[in-house]
Amino acid sequence: MEERKCLLTGGNLLQAHTWKGLLQISGIEVELRGEALLGGIGELPVDLQNVELWVSQSQLPQAQAQLDSLQCDLPKWQCVQCHEFNEGSFELCWHCSAERSEAHN
């Protein structure tokens, strides 16, 4: 079985399903993770309340290019250093200047 990589992480379930559908139409296999955890908002730590789109390692470049071509807003991400939320287009944390890092990648 081929290794899967997290394509993106965000808290908007509707947006995640929309992107999943658009990628699947392009022939990219997509797995949505974290959907069931959204019912625990307020009970679970913030870093567990995101939905994630996962694709196979070999389809990752194609999936990234597909999302880039849609010119869609990237979801916000949380800094692993200071836990501040940053706009999806930021590569560095606005608060502490730490590099963008996803715990799964």
Side-chain angles (χ1 to χ4, degrees), residues 24-87:
Q24 287 176 326
I25 288 171
S26 300
I28 300 170
E29 256 185 72
V30 183
E31 180 184 350
L32 182 63
R33 296 183 185 177
E35 184 174 11
L37 295 175
L38 291 179
I41 291 179
E43 306 280 327
L44 295 172
V46 174
D47 60 336
L48 292 179
Q49 296 175 14
N50 288 322
V51 289
E52 303 168 342
L53 292 180
W54 287 70
V55 298
S56 66
Q57 177 79 32
S58 64
Q59 290 186 313
L60 184 61
Q62 180 186 358
Q64 288 171 326
Q66 185 67 29
L67 286 183
D68 289 346
S69 73
L70 296 174
Q71 296 180 345
C72 52
D73 292 332
L74 297 173
K76 292 183 177 182
W77 56 275
Q78 188 175 23
C79 178
V80 296
Q81 298 284 332
C82 69
H83 306 290
E84 285 293 323
F85 282 95
N86 296 274
E87 295 299 321

